[in-house]
Amino acid sequence: MSRFHRKHSLQSLNPKKTEPAAGLYIHVPFCASKCPYCDFFSVTATDMIDSWLEALCRELDLYREQFPRFETVYLGGGTPSLLSDQQLGSLMEYVRRSISILDGAECTIEVNPDDVSREKAGLLRDLGFNRLSIGVQSFNDRLLSLLQRRHTALQACEAVAHAATAGFDSISLDLMFGLPGQDWEAELAQAVAFQPGHLSCYQLTIKPGTPFHALQQSGEFEIASEETLVQLFMLTDSILDDAGYAHYEVSNFARGIEYEARHNSRYWQHLPYLGLGPSAHSFDGRTRWWNTASLPEYCQSLAKGSPVVGRETLTPEQLRLERLMLGMRTQRGIAREDVSADVSVLERLERAGLVVVHDARVVPTARGMLFADRLPLVLE
Amino acid sequence: MSSMRHIRNFSIIAHIDHGKSTLADRLIQSSGLVSDRDFHNQLLDNMDLEQERGITIKSQTIALPYTGPDKQKYVLNLIDTPGHVDFSYEVSRALASCEGVLLLVDAAQGVEAQTLANLYAAMEHDLTIIPVINKIDLPAADIERVKEEIDAELGLDSDKALLCSAKDGIGIEEVFEAVIERLPPPIGDLAAPLQALIFDANYDQFRGTVVSCRVFNGSLRAGDTIRFMSNQATYRVEEVGVFRLKLEKRQVLSAGEVGYIIAGIKTVADTRVGDTITLDDNPAAKVVGDFKEPKSMVFSSVYPIAADDYPGLVDALEKYKLNDAALNYQKDSSAALGQGFRCGFLGLLHLEIVQERMEREHNQAIIMTAPSVQYKFILKDGSELTIENPQYYPDPMAIETAFEPYVRINIIIPERYMGAVMKLCTDRRGSNSRFNYPSPKRIEINFDMPLAEIIYDFYDRLKSITQGYGSFDYEYMDHRPGDLVKIEMMVNHEKVDALSFISHRDNSRPRALQYCERLKEEIPRQMFKIIIQGSIGGSVIARSTINPFRKDVTAKCYGGDISRKRKLLEKQKKGKDRMKMVGNVQIPQKAFVAILKSEKD
């Protein structure tokens, strides 16, 4: 926890102690260029950053009463590291002035390797960030160029080194598997060599509307078969297990519980979070709402009111369904009482090696996580 | 009461999509019965289902007021006809109630298969035929060519063909005038005993059964006691009237008129289309035309998807039956599907209509099993057995002779499709072929064919090989001996009685294979391997395998993904509700009738 952080939390407003602390997500919808596989909301119009920043501060004001205290902060995107030092500084200053960030809070920022200089890493530490999520994607230059990333493998390594030097002891690396001609074992070995606290390993997913989808449709791009992807997934589980990483979520691995992504875990555990910025979602435990995905609309709406375009209050049944859906993605699993399927169904899944039942919880195995989208329907 | 001189009774007949409904709407609109503002498109086809399928199932009749060029007031009764082979008897009763028809021909498409079939039907009833060339507004309209076809192929005087565009309201007045001038008024004897032909009946939840009829002789008023000549049932008439947009009460219905009767008749099933109504105290000696009981040709079992929906199904079937005399049903049960009903239908379209209406109008999630026909057996002990459900197929060792129903099929096609149609018919065990040449370039083919061969996608195949130019009709002949076998279907080695079917031995293997393949397409991949097998007497003759999926997981699920993912899950859950668990396999509703789906060309 940085000095900076502690100093500022003393000055914060007097929060209502009754409100439990929440997670704060800030969506930075800017990228220097769009990656051909990504369907997250972002734009390359960096000249709009200042308007966005202004609107974001207005949006935060709207929630000061409802969400006074936070135990996690997460700057995601887009590419948050694209913001200038000054923009990042004024954003964080406003955040700290408006709400309270608890002692010991996890403060994460997503960065692109090519944005992480030694100076930048130091600045991020000074701004109070204590966790860095680095978008490495691959340690192979050919694959990085296929993915149209702006960095090289060497830059990725340098970024990790700068982060460590700057004092980030919680570092997470994002990697992708299932790429054409990829030596995934070698990539994993290289990642593990840095001994990061956390690894996110995503299967390349071709989403409709992305340039990769078009390439795949036209046959120019061949993605791995279902069978190969299953093997890669299981291989990842076993290699990282040997290296001391727990497979605590479908795509996430931590070298000890203290390195698990606390902010993201809030999503999976149904804990409240406030999402700011275009397309961001928020949740208070019962109701979820979301903002317009259009940056101009987002900025305009905050000049006069709210950017919220959708809202739903979950019924107990919907909450249960989400618990099943989220639980089957994580090592926490689900409460036995949330399962309404016959006991024979559970036994069958256990025999098939997909779940383990213990301490009144049903927990997916690594193989079970491969069916995370299906098991809720079976257990429901 | 209108004098007969001022009445015209007519139908519009046409090949599908040649504009029958549009012309009917336009006539209603132009008659001033309905204001333009209230004008509801395709008024006659008032059920959703019919609008979607573009065919008329239950006919709607309407009396149009019209003032002629002679300043006389006329009543023009437009009698709508259903448009499918399953309902050919209903069509014939509607036509029997008319003196003439408008035979509609599309100005671009010209004469087509059903144009001809419709013409024959009208000629059978000695109706006056007015050819009408519709859609003359189309850029592709070729009036001269169509006139030549009317001359050459229909043998009608094309100089007398009317030209109109129902869509644009062109030539509508000429249609009205031709109806008055060219169609004869009805002839009847007001003083003779009552003879009224039932051509339709509908159930109204407030009024009970509303019988549509054409009065041929005599007259009828409220308070009269009527008798149905087929079963001698008597009813006291509460009300008579004519069809406007709503029922319009009249003092009397007389010879020549078309109207309705309300007589405390509880359900539509108590009436018979084609029956003759007379007066109890002064009965007619003869019926009008020939009366035929509706005959169930195709049988299928209906089960609720959720077993606890059975009472709901009972209720829905009872309500549905109020308005569909042709549906027969009785209790049935299946090891795989629980309590349900065995239903008899006029044909496959009738079956599909019942299925869709049960779901839509009565909100029932149902499974229908593979349709079957009625088989008869003489057993070795000399006893006889009739079954409509493969489940009750007797022990093969006990069978002396098995009989299956045969129909006479009638197909009219352009000559160029003859080879393909002949092959289809002989593949389907057609025999005793006969040919006619009703007009140049057209051929009429008759075959004797097992009905079972028709219910397996025959009509779809015929339509596909003749590109829609084939007209098709069939009529029950008799039951004939056949070498039959029962094929059991098994899903993961568990017998599913609701999927079993009866086939001729020669076709059993290809048909079982086809069913295995269809089921493979219909049953979604699951987390484990699914083996589908067809067997005769325990030996497997066909098999297919559905491989399990190896993974089903998305890589990312963060704050913004959760609602979307849950909604997808809810949707899948709904889909799951529409599946039936058989053992540990989820079988979707439509898999049960998958065997009927057309083979892929």
Side-chain angles (χ1 to χ4, degrees):
Chain A
M1 190 45 40
S2 74
R3 301 145 279 145
F4 194 82
H5 185 175
R6 229 171 278 129
K7 187 172 73 191
H8 280 269
S9 63
L10 295 173
Q11 298 174 352
S12 60
L13 301 164
N14 183 25
K16 281 188 243 164
K17 290 288 176 209
T18 50
E19 293 289 343
L24 176 63
Y25 176 75
I26 295 175
H27 188 67
V28 184
F30 301 99
C31 286
S33 59
K34 285 290 290 185
C35 298
Y37 52 86
C38 175
D39 75 337
F40 274 96
F41 173 68
S42 75
V43 296
T44 50
T46 45
D47 56 337
M48 288 202 55
I49 292 180
D50 286 333
S51 316
W52 163 80
L53 199 49
E54 176 67 28
L56 195 95
C57 294
R58 295 291 76 73
E59 193 187 9
L60 183 58
D61 291 344
L62 298 175
Y63 292 104
R64 281 158 76 152
E65 293 280 309
Q66 194 185 350
F67 290 94
R69 306 177 319 140
F70 292 91
E71 57 185 17
T72 64
V73 175
Y74 194 105
L75 240 71
T79 313
S81 54
L82 198 66
L83 300 190
S84 70
D85 295 355
Q86 197 203 347
Q87 286 161 334
L88 272 171
S90 60
L91 168 63
M92 291 315 288
E93 194 193 318
Y94 194 85
V95 167
R96 289 181 188 288
R97 231 188 308 133
S98 308
I99 47 95
S100 158
I101 298 172
L102 296 188
D103 282 358
E106 174 198 87
C107 298
T108 309
I109 180 167
E110 289 180 350
V111 294
N112 270 8
D114 48 326
D115 291 328
V116 186
S117 60
R118 202 171 53 190
E119 295 73 25
K120 189 79 163 195
L123 173 90
L124 295 175
R125 281 292 295 153
D126 286 346
L127 288 176
F129 291 104
N130 51 23
R131 187 168 178 274
L132 213 55
S133 172
I134 306 176
V136 173
Q137 314 310 346
S138 169
F139 287 106
N140 177 308
D141 281 336
R142 182 184 63 80
L143 294 176
L144 285 170
S145 112
L146 177 80
L147 295 170
Q148 296 179 29
R149 300 293 300 189
R150 290 175 299 142
H151 64 272
T152 60
L154 183 61
Q155 278 176 305
C157 296
E158 283 172 0
V160 183
H162 290 319
T165 319
F168 283 99
D169 63 343
S170 188
I171 292 172
S172 176
L173 307 184
D174 278 4
L175 296 172
M176 287 169 89
F177 68 89
L179 302 174
Q182 182 179 31
D183 182 349
W184 176 237
E185 265 183 85
E187 300 245 27
L188 268 184
Q190 200 158 354
V192 168
F194 286 105
Q195 286 289 294
H198 190 274
L199 280 167
S200 296
C201 301
Y202 297 111
Q203 174 204 314
L204 170 65
T205 309
I206 309 266
K207 305 229 169 127
T210 61
F212 269 11
H213 187 249
L215 284 176
Q216 189 196 7
Q217 295 296 95
S218 67
E220 285 175 61
F221 196 100
E222 203 176 329
I223 62 158
S225 70
E226 193 177 80
E227 189 52 46
T228 306
L229 290 173
V230 166
Q231 283 170 9
L232 290 174
F233 184 90
M234 295 309 291
L235 182 71
T236 310
D237 176 78
S238 96
I239 290 179
L240 290 182
D241 185 59
D242 289 348
Y245 289 83
H247 194 172
Y248 75 102
E249 197 261 356
V250 168
S251 304
N252 289 288
F253 302 80
R255 198 163 44 81
I257 196 161
E258 67 275 24
Y259 290 113
E260 289 184 10
R262 279 160 54 195
H263 180 82
N264 288 339
S265 292
R266 298 187 75 85
Y267 301 137
W268 304 325
Q269 291 173 27
H270 256 169
L271 295 170
Y273 51 90
L274 173 65
L276 303 179
S279 81
H281 284 54
S282 302
F283 182 61
D284 69 2
R286 271 302 299 285
T287 300
R288 193 174 287 120
W289 61 96
W290 50 93
N291 290 345
T292 170
S294 147
L295 180 59
E297 253 177 61
Y298 173 78
C299 295
Q300 281 157 24
S301 63
L302 275 157
K304 46 189 187 337
S306 157
V308 174
V309 291
R311 184 184 299 276
E312 61 175 6
T313 298
L314 303 177
T315 64
E317 182 49 31
Q318 287 176 318
L319 282 167
R320 187 181 73 96
L321 199 58
E322 288 193 357
R323 283 198 298 275
L324 292 180
M325 172 183 106
L326 299 168
M328 280 297 116
R329 296 182 64 88
T330 66
Q331 219 177 31
R332 277 171 52 85
I334 52 178
R336 177 69 184 78
E337 66 196 32
D338 276 339
V339 177
S340 55
D342 197 76
V343 72
S344 68
V345 173
L346 268 184
E347 284 168 4
R348 188 158 51 83
L349 294 176
E350 248 190 316
R351 271 201 309 279
L354 299 178
V355 301
V356 176
V357 183
H358 63 74
D359 300 336
R361 291 195 79 78
V362 181
V363 176
T365 61
R367 193 161 286 281
M369 282 182 184
L370 275 168
F371 295 99
D373 289 352
R374 176 65 47 155
L375 288 173
L377 286 168
V378 179
L379 294 171
E380 186 276 319
Chain B
M1 184 176 80
S2 330
S3 95
M4 276 185 267
R5 221 159 36 83
H6 292 124
I7 298 173
R8 298 293 182 273
N9 298 316
F10 71 107
S11 275
I12 306 172
I13 54 179
H15 188 84
I16 190 160
D17 286 341
H18 280 200
K20 178 172 129 171
S21 299
T22 315
L23 179 60
D25 291 349
R26 187 60 73 182
L27 292 176
I28 292 166
Q29 190 188 24
S30 305
S31 74
L33 253 191
V34 54
S35 72
D36 287 354
R37 221 185 49 182
D38 297 339
F39 184 64
H40 173 237
N41 258 343
Q42 315 247 325
L43 205 81
L44 291 191
D45 289 354
N46 65 354
M47 288 195 293
D48 288 354
L49 200 57
E50 294 184 346
Q51 289 206 356
E52 274 169 35
R53 287 170 176 252
I55 51 167
T56 312
I57 298 153
K58 288 296 277 184
S59 50
Q60 301 279 309
T61 291
I62 195 153
L64 305 171
Y66 179 74
T67 305
D70 53 1
K71 303 285 179 240
Q72 301 277 320
K73 286 192 186 321
Y74 290 85
V75 174
L76 314 181
N77 292 305
L78 170 55
I79 298 171
D80 200 10
T81 55
H84 186 272
V85 56
D86 286 356
F87 304 95
S88 55
Y89 181 64
E90 282 77 358
V91 176
S92 79
R93 294 309 86 193
L95 292 180
S97 304
C98 298
E99 274 74 42
V101 292
L102 301 175
L103 178 64
L104 218 53
V105 184
D106 184 304
Q109 305 287 324
V111 169
E112 302 210 44
Q114 286 166 29
T115 317
L116 211 66
N118 281 312
L119 172 73
Y120 292 150
M123 283 162 62
E124 252 179 64
H125 291 92
D126 289 327
L127 302 183
T128 303
I129 295 156
I130 303 175
V132 180
I133 301 175
N134 187 27
K135 305 196 191 180
I136 57 167
D137 57 297
L138 290 182
D142 185 350
I143 295 165
E144 282 318 304
R145 178 180 61 88
V146 173
K147 280 189 165 183
E148 278 166 31
E149 290 176 358
I150 289 174
D151 273 323
E153 301 196 22
L154 301 183
L156 299 173
D157 183 353
S158 64
D159 290 338
K160 291 195 170 164
L162 302 175
L163 302 179
C164 84
S165 161
K167 187 170 128 268
D168 292 352
I170 300 165
I172 301 303
E173 202 51 37
E174 287 76 4
V175 172
F176 276 118
E177 285 170 19
V179 166
I180 289 170
E181 285 161 16
R182 296 200 220 161
L183 298 188
I187 303 164
D189 183 354
L190 268 173
L194 175 70
Q195 279 178 307
L197 176 68
I198 301 178
F199 63 83
D200 193 14
N202 284 289
Y203 182 77
D204 177 303
Q205 65 176 120
F206 303 110
R207 313 295 308 266
T209 303
V210 179
V211 176
S212 307
C213 66
R214 154 73 193 271
V215 182
F216 281 86
N217 288 309
S219 63
L220 172 69
R221 51 189 84 226
D224 287 345
T225 299
I226 52 170
R227 186 196 294 177
F228 288 173
M229 292 182 75
S230 72
N231 59 4
Q232 307 302 322
T234 57
Y235 299 93
R236 196 177 151 77
V237 177
E238 293 165 8
E239 181 179 314
V240 298
V242 298
F243 299 102
R244 288 293 162 99
L245 288 178
K246 290 177 187 149
L247 302 180
E248 208 170 281
K249 197 170 164 179
R250 288 282 188 273
Q251 290 297 313
V252 64
L253 277 185
S254 301
E257 288 189 299
V258 168
Y260 69 88
I261 301 171
I262 294 170
I265 302 165
K266 255 174 79 185
T267 79
V268 165
D270 295 324
T271 65
R272 302 274 186 277
V273 167
D275 202 352
T276 302
I277 299 173
T278 190
L279 287 180
D280 192 41
D281 57 5
N282 181 19
K286 273 175 51 190
V287 299
V288 181
D290 59 334
F291 169 69
K292 281 197 272 182
E293 283 275 356
K295 187 172 170 51
S296 293
M297 300 293 268
V298 173
F299 301 83
S300 163
S301 297
V302 178
Y303 299 95
I305 288 188
D308 54 1
D309 272 356
Y310 179 73
L313 177 64
V314 175
D315 188 51
L317 265 175
E318 276 170 10
K319 285 206 179 99
Y320 178 83
K321 172 76 180 162
L322 290 176
N323 215 1
D324 185 351
L327 174 72
N328 292 308
Y329 64 91
Q330 61 190 59
K331 277 193 182 171
D332 190 24
S333 70
S334 144
L337 302 176
Q339 289 283 306
F341 292 94
R342 190 70 183 173
C343 300
F345 306 90
L346 293 176
L348 273 185
L349 182 83
H350 185 210
L351 176 151
E352 281 174 35
I353 289 163
V354 173
Q355 178 174 22
E356 287 195 40
R357 289 186 58 191
M358 287 290 285
E359 301 224 331
R360 263 194 229 197
E361 293 163 30
H362 299 279
N363 212 12
Q364 286 293 304
I366 55 171
I367 284 175
M368 294 185 93
T369 59
S372 172
V373 298
Q374 185 184 66
Y375 296 97
K376 293 182 179 175
F377 300 90
I378 294 176
L379 302 180
K380 289 197 167 129
D381 63 7
S383 63
E384 289 181 17
L385 177 70
T386 300
I387 65 159
E388 289 126 17
N389 187 338
Q391 253 179 272
Y392 305 123
Y393 195 83
D395 174 4
M397 300 305 291
I399 299 172
E400 179 70 41
T401 318
F403 298 87
E404 60 177 327
Y406 269 68
V407 290
R408 175 180 297 114
I409 64 164
N410 176 282
I411 295 170
I412 301 175
I413 43 163
E415 236 173 21
R416 61 184 180 278
Y417 299 120
M418 183 173 170
V421 171
M422 286 292 294
K423 176 157 189 332
L424 175 68
C425 292
T426 49
D427 282 353
R428 297 302 176 95
R429 298 192 283 138
S431 59
N432 189 22
S433 53
R434 285 138 291 163
F435 307 99
N436 269 311
Y437 296 87
S439 64
K441 293 187 192 143
R442 276 174 202 276
I443 183 161
E444 180 183 357
I445 305 175
N446 284 283
F447 268 98
D448 298 353
M449 192 180 278
L451 177 60
E453 299 293 335
I454 288 174
I455 66 172
Y456 294 116
D457 80 4
F458 180 81
Y459 193 43
D460 283 346
R461 297 281 303 148
L462 180 71
K463 272 194 293 196
S464 127
I465 61 177
T466 62
Q467 294 163 313
Y469 280 84
S471 91
F472 170 64
D473 196 359
Y474 64 84
E475 192 183 7
Y476 172 72
M477 297 172 74
D478 49 18
H479 272 69
R480 298 182 184 179
D483 186 7
L484 304 177
V485 287
K486 178 187 179 182
I487 293 144
E488 307 264 17
M489 298 302 296
M490 290 178 291
V491 175
N492 273 358
H493 307 291
E494 195 164 328
K495 221 181 257 181
V496 186
D497 55 4
L499 292 174
S500 64
F501 63 98
I502 297 167
S503 163
H504 191 269
R505 190 180 298 277
D506 293 350
N507 289 343
S508 57
R509 202 179 126 74
R511 193 141 287 160
L513 268 174
Q514 185 189 340
Y515 206 1
C516 285
E517 285 307 309
R518 286 296 99 81
L519 287 171
K520 182 178 172 172
E521 287 162 20
E522 295 293 345
I523 299 176
R525 283 205 295 167
Q526 294 177 25
M527 285 170 60
F528 42 85
K529 188 165 160 181
I530 302 169
I531 297 166
I532 301 163
Q533 292 165 308
S535 71
I536 299 175
S539 59
V540 173
I541 56 163
R543 173 193 163 110
S544 65
T545 307
I546 302 172
N547 286 320
F549 50 73
R550 300 295 319 278
K551 61 188 272 293
D552 186 3
V553 60
T554 42
K556 292 187 181 185
C557 179
Y558 296 111
D561 303 314
I562 299 173
S563 282
R564 186 169 33 80
K565 273 182 86 73
R566 189 203 70 246
K567 281 175 192 159
L568 179 65
L569 207 54
E570 284 170 336
K571 208 173 126 193
Q572 290 171 327
K573 213 178 116 179
K574 258 198 184 141
K576 190 180 135 190
D577 290 345
R578 308 197 66 70
M579 303 222 210
K580 190 81 192 175
M581 283 299 272
V582 173
N584 56 5
V585 180
Q586 288 171 7
I587 304 184
Q589 200 180 14
K590 56 183 184 208
F592 290 89
V593 286
I595 194 165
L596 298 171
K597 275 184 36 184
S598 236
E599 292 167 42
K600 300 239 163 59
D601 293 295

